[in-house]
Amino acid sequence: MRPDPDHRPPMWEPLRGIGYVALLTGCVIVVGSIIAFAALVVGEVPR
Amino acid sequence: VILRPGADDLQLIALYLGKVLLGLGAMMLLPAVLALSLGEWNSFTAFVIGAALCVVLGSVSEATLATRRPLTWAHGMATVALAWLVGSILAAVPMYLSGHYGSALAAIFEAMSGLTTTGLSVINDLDHTAVSMDVYRHLLHFAGGQGIIIVVLSLFSAGGGQMGTLYVSEARDERILPNVIRTSRFIYLVAAAYLVVGTAALFAALLTSGFTPSRSVFHAVNLFLASFDTGGFSPMQASAIYYHSFPVEIAIMVLMVAGSLSFGLHFALWRGDPRQVFRHLETRTLALTSTVLFTVVCYGLVRSGTYDTTSALVRKGLFTLVSSISSAGHQVNVGDTYLTDWGALAPAAIVVTMAIGGMASSTAGGIKAIRVGITAKALLQDIRRILQPEAALVLTTYETGGRRQVLRDRTVRAATAVLLLFTVTYLLGALIGLAYGQYDITQTLFESVSAAANMGLSIGVTSPEMPNGLMVTYLVQMWLGRLEFVAVLALFGYLISLALGRAKA
């Protein structure tokens, strides 16, 4: 997508952008939790 | 034949340097007003002295050096390299006057760390610093992150043509919009939107953690500046661990992720095109490297028996990983923990993550994912070339900025040259650290990479008591890393041609 030089962002565009970034962070945390859980199972930590 | 720059070239550089100092002086007035309203008289005097110095130097250059000559690439490069250096020295004046720094060098170190969005700190007794001085430290992240050059550009210039040279040499060569002024306006719009939403989210998180409303506002603003600008300074000595709050850590994480995304991707997300996130070479590179490295971090931490629950691994390990990818450097561990509790594997993976850093055209530091991605693509292309018949034409493409591009040798050379320069700087810093005989290789490599990649995570080497030589080493590393070498090397070239060059005809 080529940026449009005359584009003026409407008010809700920033919120959409921030929403996507929050969603991306959520995905990072979910994937991270799966990896962490798997590492604990494989690593067999003495409890 | 090297041509010696003439007096008119130096005049142009000094003129634009003066404009940068005017911008810095104007920025110092903000904490000065805060100090005045809070009755912090020592800080107020310090800011007024600092601002006066900047304004006097800037005004003298405006009054005596004004010229209509256009800025060339060489001028722009030399100006930017000098701006960060001279800017740090002048930004250090109020800090030094605050009495919280052991020496002028320590204050300059802190200012450089702020302006390069590194976040390594050598302040004494941070927890009892004046409110206005703390806000000033974090404002330096904002000024450096959003680019002091752009500040000047939007304040003092009406045109866009010759300012473009300054902008490009600031290691942010991805033009999102065709006009530099429009691009910098978009960058400020993104920052403003995150300022409102991010500060509100942090304010709510801090309130629920038991902070009073006024302290919540103070911490929320500072944490926003340090997280979104991927700086890493903190209002408290203990960094993010001070809050012991999961909601605060989540809000910081979202802001760090936002700060590590290139402004081109922000543009795509604002326009409702999230598919670009998946197609972009940088996000793909980061997804792959961070997944592998987080697995290594987890494996290392589990084998060392550091944490024995998923939530602890995610809260400590993942937060640290995101902090190092984004180059923010917020810590949820006390510095020594990396050395005493984390074993050898997990800190090593964090060092690699720090070395790579975030995305180009963001406030993140490090080699940048795009260069790692391009180098990997080039290696694959070479392997394919070997396997194909000699006459075969092997083309490699990659997607960036919403466009599919052909991998060209010139791009590969530029990427690998910077990658090599970063690697050499990381190793040289580690070697210099080792020469002091007080630290081991884990400590010196960790801290050296953290400084040169403008990261700010510390394993405990950086402190007010560290040797002066090491402080200078990290200071130079922060400067080189922020400007990604090119502008600084151009400045050195300028100095060499001043000394050895032949006069222009």
Side-chain angles (χ1 to χ4, degrees), chain A residues 29-43, chain B residues 294-295 298-299 302 309-315 318:
Chain A
I29 293 170
V30 169
V31 173
S33 302
I34 294 168
I35 294 173
F37 179 73
L40 277 168
V41 171
V42 174
Chain B
F294 185 59
T295 308
C298 282
Y299 186 73
V302 168
T309 62
T310 307
S311 62
L313 267 179
V314 171
R315 247 183 109 168
L318 189 66

Side-chain angles (χ1 to χ4, degrees), chain B residues 356-400:
Chain B
I356 296 172
M359 294 191 185
S361 187
S362 74
T363 59
I367 294 166
K368 306 280 158 60
I370 188 92
R371 300 206 174 93
V372 176
I374 283 175
T375 308
K377 282 251 174 196
L379 276 174
L380 287 175
Q381 190 183 32
D382 283 350
I383 295 169
R384 277 172 56 209
R385 250 186 213 142
I386 295 166
L387 297 178
Q388 300 282 334
E390 243 174 71
L393 183 68
V394 180
L395 269 186
T396 300
T397 60
Y398 63 99
E399 187 154 329
T400 172

Side-chain angles (χ1 to χ4, degrees), chain B residues 33-271:
Chain B
V33 171
L34 186 66
L36 193 65
S37 61
L38 294 173
E40 294 175 343
W41 302 113
N42 279 345
S43 300
F44 175 71
T45 320
F47 290 127
V48 169
I49 291 172
L53 262 174
C54 291
V55 170
V56 166
L57 286 172
S59 306
V60 167
S61 80
E62 284 271 311
T64 56
L65 304 171
T67 169
R68 285 184 161 276
R69 277 190 65 207
L71 210 64
T72 65
W73 263 90
H75 297 134
M77 290 276 182
T79 309
V80 167
L82 277 173
W84 246 265
L85 200 61
V86 179
S88 293
I89 293 170
L90 282 160
V93 172
M95 289 177 158
Y96 183 59
L97 293 175
S98 75
H100 277 271
Y101 297 89
S103 63
L105 176 65
I108 295 169
F109 180 94
E110 189 92 354
M112 179 66 93
S113 178
L115 284 172
T116 55
T117 71
T118 305
L120 289 171
S121 185
V122 289
I123 191 169
N124 284 302
D125 198 16
L126 173 61
D127 295 356
H128 299 100
T129 316
V131 169
S132 53
M133 194 54 72
D134 224 359
V135 170
Y136 173 63
R137 288 169 73 240
H138 290 83
L139 269 177
L140 288 180
H141 279 332
F142 182 77
Q146 309 308 315
I148 40 180
I149 307 302
I150 304 187
V151 175
V152 172
L153 175 144
S154 32
L155 284 178
F156 297 100
S157 171
Q162 58 184 12
M163 282 299 188
T165 314
L166 277 176
Y167 179 74
V168 173
S169 46
E170 203 197 323
R172 309 245 168 94
D173 48 5
E174 189 176 324
R175 303 266 186 101
I176 305 153
L177 292 163
N179 174 314
V180 173
I181 300 271
R182 298 287 306 273
T183 303
S184 54
R185 270 190 206 144
F186 176 74
I187 289 174
Y188 276 113
L189 194 63
V190 172
Y194 275 96
L195 171 71
V196 174
V197 177
T199 310
L202 280 165
F203 176 76
L206 287 161
L207 265 187
T208 55
S209 307
F211 277 57
T212 59
S214 58
R215 283 194 81 212
S216 297
V217 170
F218 168 66
H219 282 259
V221 170
N222 283 337
L223 281 176
F224 164 78
L225 292 171
S227 309
F228 180 71
D229 289 304
T230 66
F233 277 158
S234 170
M236 306 307 290
Q237 196 84 48
S239 190
I241 197 176
Y242 172 79
Y243 303 99
H244 286 292
S245 159
F246 191 57
V248 172
E249 286 166 25
I250 291 284
I252 291 176
M253 256 170 108
V254 174
L255 288 170
M256 290 194 296
V257 169
S260 64
L261 293 185
S262 69
F263 285 104
L265 267 186
H266 277 295
F267 190 83
L269 290 176
W270 284 38
R271 299 291 302 271

